[in-house]
Amino acid sequence: MNSDIEVNLRKYRTNLAGSGTGYILFGIWTVIKIFMTVTMNRSYIAGILSDLDFDIDKADDETRQIAYIVICSLLFLIALVALLFHLYIGMRAIRYSSKETSSKFFVAFSILIMLMNISNLPDYFKSREEGLSVMNDRGIVPAVVDLTVVFLLFDIIYSVHRIDSLENKKKKIAKDAAASGIEEESTGD
Amino acid sequence: MQEDFHYYATYCAAFLAGYDHRECMDICYSAQFVDLCSKTLLGRIKAPGSAATTMLQIEMMDARTDILGLQDITGIWASFHFLPRDLYASKPHRPKRYMNKYRLICGHDGELVSKTVELAKGRSLQSVGIAMHVLADTWAHSYFAGTPSLVINNTTDDFFEILPEGEYPDNQKAIKFRHNPSAADDTEKNIYTNSIYQENENSVMNLGHGRAGHLPDYSFIKYCYLPAWNDYKVMIKDNPSDYYNAFCQMIYAMKYLRGSFDSFKLNTYDTDAVKGHEDRINKILKTRRLIASDDWKAFGEELSGCEIDNFDVNRYQEEYINAPSEDKSSTFIGSFVDGALAQKSMVSAAIFRSGNMLAGFGKND
């Protein structure tokens, strides 16, 4: 009950459940962030449209409204997809930790998203006067948030790996114990 | 522990230690009164509130959890219901704030148990009763601390009753918890009430064994669970065995208090005194029900041949209220108050001397 293997299994299952829950919460935060950006930052959508070479000042009202609706819909769709990714990984991690599933496909997604996040991290350390950078006040919090997400994903991947190796060790010990038990019986005959 | 053990079982232990019926009644009444002597009750009879040995639910709801409030709470609960086992325990890589709470974890046969018993030597029967309550609770309330602390007193929801071989896989049956204080615990379906998870470290909901519900107070149950402080190791709590040892240790302690021994030694249980009664006692402890008062009462009455009055919290209050100021100390409750103040002072001082401010400042002995 309190062997090293059992104790470590409990520890890594708890870590996995905790990291999975944290990743789901970050997914909800991502949706809130996109919602706040769209609704409170009016120039954001105009900026996207100008990047697409759409001159919003020259368009009539109806065209402008349709453009806004399309962009907002796309942004909310992206938010929904991001949330679904977070929910998938987070809930799979929680279910894996409570032994409700043995499928580890979510680990592949976790690795992919972690690498994507890591590849974006250097941008925070570029010296820029505008934009998000740790060199100015606006970049520190997003940098810390992204680092935390990387840590959560790493914890999910590492915990699954440790749980697997501990479970394999446990099975091997049980198999060896059963084999030595059978040997003792046969030598006793 | 509940009335069945603090009142009736203490009566039985006192009788087996050599006290007569009247003395046993005073001792067991005092032992049970520890669970009822709140500031509200003391205020009603104009007794000093600092002698409170418990807090009512409503008092706890109103309790502050700033440093002064925590000291007030800890001073009561650690002194009378969750006596710390080792005030100098060590655990690597933990800050002082954590260790202050870790060192308040209750356990039997700690140094403070012997100080509690020795404090009652030469004092009133009420002091003996208080000491027996404290001693008994060190067995039942082991592994929980008498201070609000999430990191010490929290548990997971994975509680399993350990049953005789063959009944369930791994001999374990899951215990289900619900948060309905008005519904009685169901021993057949293994459904019990516990306190709700509170993420605030100092919430009063994280005081003592709330997360385990009343399981520590049921003598019949042997169970395993995962406490927050034990680094993912499962703890097994064998209540039938613990309660039996508590009973035998109470007999030994009271024999010492009567003068049968020169010193009180820890880890010593007078199993000789219960010879011939072991089966009866084990049957009472292991019968699956929420409270065993009737059986303990019957056992006590058989031992002494006298009737044991049911516990009445109001029994001695008129005496105290009507006594003149200079004579209050010689009343029943007055003697109880003196004993409670001495116990609280001793424990608070010991906690303070260990460098822990959670019980406030303590006077040196």
Side-chain angles (χ1 to χ4, degrees):
Chain A
M1 215 185 250
N2 284 332
S3 63
D4 283 347
I5 291 176
E6 290 291 346
V7 167
N8 282 318
L9 271 170
R10 283 182 212 120
K11 178 180 157 190
Y12 288 112
R13 288 189 193 284
T14 306
N15 282 358
L16 185 58
S19 296
T21 307
Y23 197 63
I24 291 173
L25 291 173
F26 268 104
I28 296 169
W29 167 241
T30 303
V31 171
I32 293 172
K33 209 168 60 172
I34 292 174
F35 180 78
M36 279 164 56
T37 306
V38 166
T39 56
M40 294 178 192
N41 187 358
R42 288 169 187 251
S43 60
Y44 181 72
I45 296 181
I48 294 176
L49 287 168
S50 73
D51 285 345
L52 295 170
D53 294 329
F54 182 86
D55 194 344
I56 194 119
D57 295 322
K58 287 187 179 161
D60 57 45
D61 282 344
E62 200 180 329
T63 311
R64 205 179 299 146
Q65 276 182 7
I66 290 169
Y68 270 111
I69 288 167
V70 167
I71 296 295
C72 285
S73 303
L74 280 171
L75 285 171
F76 285 128
L77 193 63
I78 290 168
L80 184 65
V81 169
L83 179 64
L84 286 173
F85 259 106
H86 281 83
L87 278 173
Y88 172 73
I89 291 174
M91 290 185 70
R92 280 282 166 181
I94 292 167
R95 290 188 69 201
Y96 192 88
S97 73
S98 56
K99 298 190 233 180
E100 287 175 26
T101 180
S102 55
S103 164
K104 283 181 285 189
F105 189 63
F106 70 98
V107 178
F109 272 118
S110 304
I111 294 172
L112 185 66
I113 294 173
M114 186 180 75
L115 290 173
M116 280 166 56
N117 273 293
I118 289 173
S119 67
N120 287 335
L121 286 175
D123 286 345
Y124 286 113
F125 296 92
K126 287 181 188 163
S127 176
R128 286 185 289 178
E129 285 179 1
E130 287 187 13
L132 296 174
S133 168
V134 294
M135 303 301 174
N136 63 45
D137 291 340
R138 291 164 56 204
I140 294 173
V141 171
V144 168
V145 168
D146 281 352
L147 273 168
T148 308
V149 170
V150 167
F151 174 77
L152 281 177
L153 288 165
F154 176 77
D155 196 44
I156 287 172
I157 296 159
Y158 182 72
S159 297
V160 169
H161 164 70
R162 289 293 291 141
I163 289 169
D164 275 352
S165 59
L166 286 165
E167 288 284 4
N168 288 337
K169 206 169 163 186
K170 196 172 151 187
K171 280 178 194 156
K172 187 172 179 300
I173 290 172
K175 205 171 155 186
D176 290 346
S180 63
I182 292 168
E183 273 177 27
E184 276 176 17
E185 277 180 22
S186 61
T187 52
D189 285 342
Chain B
M1 284 177 172
Q2 306 176 105
E3 184 178 313
D4 55 357
F5 205 88
H6 283 313
Y7 189 62
Y8 296 105
T10 302
Y11 176 96
C12 299
F15 192 83
L16 289 170
Y19 287 101
D20 64 32
H21 167 73
R22 191 198 59 80
E23 289 168 332
C24 292
M25 287 306 300
D26 285 352
I27 291 170
C28 73
Y29 187 95
S30 303
Q32 175 59 17
F33 195 60
V34 173
D35 269 345
L36 293 144
C37 183
S38 61
K39 276 187 184 162
T40 304
L41 185 147
L42 291 169
R44 215 170 43 237
I45 60 174
K46 308 257 188 321
S50 53
T53 58
T54 193
M55 294 174 78
L56 300 176
Q57 291 242 358
I58 199 149
E59 287 171 357
M60 287 188 17
M61 277 166 55
D62 287 341
R64 290 155 52 183
T65 52
D66 56 7
I67 182 64
L68 293 176
L70 287 176
Q71 286 173 347
D72 200 28
I73 293 169
T74 306
I76 292 173
W77 291 95
S79 299
F80 297 103
H81 306 278
F82 294 91
L83 198 70
R85 186 171 190 278
D86 184 358
L87 290 174
Y88 300 91
S90 63
K91 196 171 183 184
H93 314 305
R94 297 292 196 279
K96 182 83 168 61
R97 195 171 162 219
Y98 176 90
M99 289 311 294
N100 282 345
K101 298 188 177 185
Y102 180 80
R103 286 169 177 158
L104 294 183
I105 292 175
C106 173
H108 57 86
D109 292 300
E111 193 196 329
L112 280 175
V113 170
S114 63
K115 284 189 176 172
T116 296
V117 174
E118 284 159 7
L119 184 69
K121 181 91 169 162
R123 297 175 77 105
S124 63
L125 294 170
Q126 287 77 13
S127 293
V128 175
I130 291 169
M132 292 308 105
H133 180 109
V134 174
L135 185 153
D137 269 353
T138 61
W139 287 91
H141 297 165
S142 289
Y143 316 128
F144 291 97
T147 190
S149 173
L150 176 72
V151 298
I152 301 294
N153 291 326
N154 191 32
T155 67
T156 63
D157 285 330
D158 299 320
F159 278 67
F160 293 90
E161 183 174 357
I162 298 171
L163 293 162
E165 278 194 31
E167 285 191 32
Y168 284 90
D170 297 330
N171 309 321
Q172 292 181 1
K173 185 180 175 190
I175 289 172
K176 294 185 207 88
F177 280 117
R178 63 182 167 205
H179 310 304
N180 184 359
S182 60
D185 290 341
D186 188 336
T187 58
E188 293 312 312
K189 293 181 188 162
N190 252 17
I191 300 174
Y192 297 88
T193 298
N194 74 343
S195 60
I196 301 172
Y197 172 77
Q198 287 278 339
E199 72 274 5
N200 186 336
E201 163 65 13
N202 293 329
S203 165
V204 289
M205 301 292 278
N206 292 323
L207 171 67
H209 60 77
R211 294 290 287 147
H214 283 295
L215 291 181
D217 294 330
Y218 296 145
S219 64
F220 66 88
I221 195 164
K222 182 177 179 183
Y223 59 98
C224 60
Y225 69 104
L226 212 56
W229 57 266
N230 207 22
D231 299 333
Y232 300 100
K233 294 192 194 75
V234 167
M235 191 59 73
I236 295 176
K237 190 77 174 43
D238 186 352
N239 282 358
S241 168
D242 286 346
Y243 276 54
Y244 186 83
N245 287 337
F247 187 77
C248 295
Q249 192 175 44
M250 280 203 297
I251 298 172
Y252 170 69
M254 283 190 275
K255 280 188 175 176
Y256 158 75
L257 290 169
R258 282 176 51 81
S260 301
F261 309 114
D262 291 332
S263 61
F264 175 79
K265 292 191 184 79
L266 294 171
N267 299 298
T268 309
Y269 320 122
D270 193 348
T271 49
D272 288 339
V274 299
K275 269 197 169 65
H277 304 295
E278 304 98 321
D279 291 342
R280 176 86 178 264
I281 293 168
N282 279 314
K283 190 173 174 221
I284 296 173
L285 292 174
K286 288 179 181 173
T287 302
R288 201 177 180 83
R289 78 207 130 180
L290 298 182
I291 195 156
S293 296
D294 292 342
D295 286 353
W296 278 115
K297 183 178 178 183
F299 180 48
E301 286 174 345
E302 267 177 43
L303 283 175
S304 64
C306 302
E307 191 186 342
I308 303 174
D309 297 329
N310 289 338
F311 182 81
D312 175 11
V313 69
N314 299 316
R315 188 178 302 160
Y316 297 106
Q317 291 184 25
E318 283 299 317
E319 180 201 17
Y320 186 84
I321 291 168
N322 296 333
S325 304
E326 59 274 13
D327 293 335
K328 283 207 192 295
S329 279
S330 54
T331 62
F332 189 100
I333 289 184
S335 299
F336 180 90
V337 161
D338 288 343
L341 286 170
Q343 170 70 11
K344 193 173 175 186
S345 176
M346 183 273 289
V347 175
S348 300
I351 294 172
F352 174 70
R353 271 198 305 274
S354 72
N356 190 338
M357 290 300 296
L358 278 174
F361 290 97
K363 202 172 70 166
N364 283 332
D365 297 355

